[in-house]
Amino acid sequence: MKLGFRDGVLYDDNRSNWDADGPRPISWSLWYPAADAALENDTAERSWFKKAVVARDAAIRPEAGPYPLVLLSHGTGGSAAGLEWLARRLAERGFAALGVNHHGNTGNEPYRAEGFACLWERAPDLSFMLDRRDDWLGDLSSHIDTTRVFASGFSAGAYSVMLLLGAVAQFSQFDPSRMKPGGARGPREFPDLADHVPTLLRTSDVFRHSWSRMSKSYRDDRIKAALLCAPGRSIFGFSEESLKAVDASALILVGDADKAAPAEECSAWLHARLRRSSLKIFGGGLGHYVFVPEGTALGLAFAAELFTDPPDIERAAIHDEIADLSAALFQDSTVKAMA
């Protein structure tokens, strides 16, 4: 099967960018089954990630459509490209996948403390894409089914997806008032994050307004089921009452050697508080970054820790299994909804 690919940028006029000089940008990437006659293009872009060849702006393969849609939310500091491994495998299994880059919290633009502190701003990015579907679907509108919508997120992306399912944040993970002496003051990508929050609360209207929206409900009932990959400690900020009220099916996946988001501490904690979730802990010494793509020589040279697994683990095989599990979850949810 050939892989279709399109990308672009939309702007949410209801939310400001972090510089307060324009609307919030939401850049997006769409993967889908391409028509057999589509022309594939080998990208010349240098990347840390191994990627499949794509047919850019190709016609969609019409035989099996319309294709259900899976929304993708990257990890903190990551990008939609970091979930290309899942998107292309979902396309092979009869889905279209739409990923976004979360403003200020993505490697596609300079990191911003605001974007890392206000993780709840990520969920409306995905809902916005559904609201504005005509602006990115174009000629694909009759081939992608936006009434059958699912979501998947990795790490902070799992937090984003949980907000869409109805989880409500009570506090921010890196609120300085909640910091324990000697504890982490930010994630790996922004280690002094908590130290920026007091200044931003004093000086940035955009940040203050976002901070005030922390405990708003971002539930989107268009999301029928979700895949949650290695949810991190940010989930402890959710109210337990809101977690108990989540009624969508969720599959939680995590590695048994995840040090960033330990399985028993994070994934098992969340699983115990959701009514319709299942949990799979991958054995074999798998860490947090098994949910990012395989690395190129460039990626291995600059960040080997992101792409190195135990010697007997083939990351591509794990990715295949994850895609099978997620496709089964989404297909099962579709059957139940139609019953």
Side-chain angles (χ1 to χ4, degrees):
M1 187 208 77
K2 294 181 178 179
L3 181 65
F5 178 77
R6 300 184 182 188
D7 59 0
V9 183
L10 295 177
Y11 294 89
D12 185 349
D13 293 323
N14 293 319
R15 291 183 293 161
S16 171
N17 65 22
W18 293 120
D19 286 323
D21 60 3
R24 181 178 174 93
I26 304 174
S27 58
W28 56 268
S29 298
L30 176 69
W31 294 266
Y32 56 92
D36 291 340
L39 297 178
E40 296 176 320
N41 313 107
D42 207 354
T43 178
E45 174 192 6
R46 297 183 75 218
S47 174
W48 287 11
F49 304 146
K50 289 183 180 179
K51 299 178 183 178
V53 173
V54 298
R56 179 176 283 275
D57 299 321
I60 199 166
R61 186 177 185 179
E63 289 86 347
Y67 301 99
L69 179 66
V70 182
L71 303 177
L72 305 177
S73 181
H74 62 74
T76 194
S79 67
L83 288 171
E84 182 268 356
W85 64 268
L86 178 58
R88 61 179 156 89
R89 286 173 168 84
L90 287 171
E92 291 169 355
R93 289 159 175 79
F95 297 85
L98 178 71
V100 302
N101 294 312
H102 298 293
H103 174 50
N105 191 223
T106 172
N108 270 38
E109 59 184 57
Y111 285 167
R112 298 289 298 255
E114 301 96 320
F116 279 75
C118 300
L119 292 182
W120 45 89
E121 294 292 354
R122 297 164 50 112
D125 292 344
L126 297 166
S127 291
F128 174 84
M129 295 302 295
L130 292 180
D131 296 339
R132 293 280 296 274
R133 56 190 176 274
D134 292 341
D135 292 329
W136 54 269
L137 275 172
D139 61 306
L140 304 180
S141 60
S142 63
H143 300 286
I144 295 179
D145 189 350
T146 54
T147 68
R148 289 186 291 162
V149 183
F150 310 99
S152 176
F154 163 56
S155 197
Y159 177 96
S160 308
V161 171
M162 281 305 308
L163 288 169
L164 294 175
L165 297 187
V168 175
Q170 291 181 308
F171 58 85
S172 173
Q173 180 184 3
F174 294 109
D175 182 337
S177 66
R178 306 188 68 89
M179 295 289 94
K180 296 179 181 179
R185 302 191 66 76
R188 172 183 182 273
E189 298 82 1
F190 214 119
D192 64 342
L193 177 60
D195 300 327
H196 293 259
V197 172
T199 300
L200 288 168
L201 285 171
R202 290 195 307 271
T203 62
S204 171
D205 287 340
V206 177
F207 184 80
R208 281 195 300 273
H209 291 157
S210 178
W211 201 257
S212 72
R213 296 193 293 268
M214 180 190 307
S215 297
K216 178 181 175 181
S217 173
Y218 296 100
R219 179 170 173 148
D220 191 327
D221 288 329
R222 292 172 292 188
I223 312 302
K224 307 304 183 186
L227 172 68
L228 309 171
C229 299
R233 293 182 175 91
S234 54
I235 59 171
F236 300 144
F238 293 143
S239 76
E240 297 208 20
E241 292 75 15
S242 69
L243 293 177
K244 292 175 183 176
V246 170
D247 54 14
S249 298
L251 171 62
I252 307 169
L253 303 179
V254 65
D256 63 338
D258 191 326
K259 295 180 181 178
E264 293 299 329
E265 181 181 347
C266 299
S267 291
W269 181 92
L270 182 61
H271 171 55
R273 287 158 178 78
L274 295 175
R275 292 188 293 115
R276 298 182 59 198
S277 68
S278 54
L279 169 64
K280 178 176 177 61
I281 301 175
F282 289 103
L286 293 185
H288 194 61
Y289 297 106
V290 73
F291 296 101
V292 304
E294 295 175 89
T296 62
L298 184 67
L300 287 164
F302 281 91
E305 69 277 10
L306 300 183
F307 307 109
T308 303
D309 300 310
D312 56 342
I313 294 296
E314 183 183 352
R315 185 171 293 195
I318 300 296
H319 288 173
D320 288 340
E321 183 177 357
I322 293 168
D324 285 339
L325 291 169
S326 56
L329 169 71
F330 302 151
Q331 289 162 353
D332 183 59
S333 298
T334 298
V335 170
K336 289 180 178 178
M338 297 173 64

